């Protein structure tokens, strides 16, 4: 899903700025190798209900990008550090039986000391494993 927000706060029209437009594009292409990657933070940023978007896209869903934001800035922060409702994400994923891939899409810490970076990576690995369990994974 693409954002339709401009840096000055204004709006512009782009295709695929809503879940419905995204599905419309995928169904118009109508090819087995074309599906939907829901970026839960983009969905949240666009003020859509993330759980509903996942349910609506079930048939076409092939990947997830996961990060958090405050709905004003697509800041790609670690889950649970802004205001996305992660329970809605887990509930929807479990309801639709999603078994595809997912990834944390967050900003790294390139300016930190390597030892601190490694601690951050270990934390993110634990967080990702915990989130995977919440989504019905092993």
């Amino acid at each position: 899903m693409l954002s339709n927000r401009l840096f000055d706060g204004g709006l512009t029209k782009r295709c695929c700025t809503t879940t419905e437009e995204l599905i419309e594009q995928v169904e118009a292409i109508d090819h087995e190798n074309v599906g939907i990657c829901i970026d839960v933070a983009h969905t949240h940023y666009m003020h859509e209900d993330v759980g509903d978007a996942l349910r609506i896209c079930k048939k076409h869903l092939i990947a997830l990008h996961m990060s958090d934001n405050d709905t004003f800035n697509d800041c790609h922060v670690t889950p649970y550090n802004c205001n996305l409702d992660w329970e809605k994400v887990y509930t929807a994923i479990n309801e639709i039986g999603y078994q595809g891939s997912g990834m944390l899409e967050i900003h790294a810490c390139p300016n930190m000391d390597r030892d601190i970076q490694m601690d951050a990576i270990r934390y993110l690995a634990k967080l990702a494993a915990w989130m995977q369990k919440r989504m019905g994974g092993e």
Side-chain angles (χ1 to χ4, degrees), residues 21-38:
E21 290 175 349
L22 186 57
I23 290 170
E24 186 179 305
Q25 287 289 333
V26 169
E27 289 180 351
I29 295 169
D30 191 27
H31 193 279
E32 66 186 50
N33 293 332
V34 176
I36 292 174
C37 172
I38 287 284

Side-chain angles (χ1 to χ4, degrees), residues 99-120:
Q99 297 292 311
S101 64
M103 64 172 275
L104 291 175
E105 184 186 21
I106 57 175
H107 289 294
C109 309
N111 299 322
M112 287 184 173
D113 180 75
R114 182 157 170 75
D115 289 339
I116 300 296
Q117 285 178 343
M118 295 309 296
D119 287 342

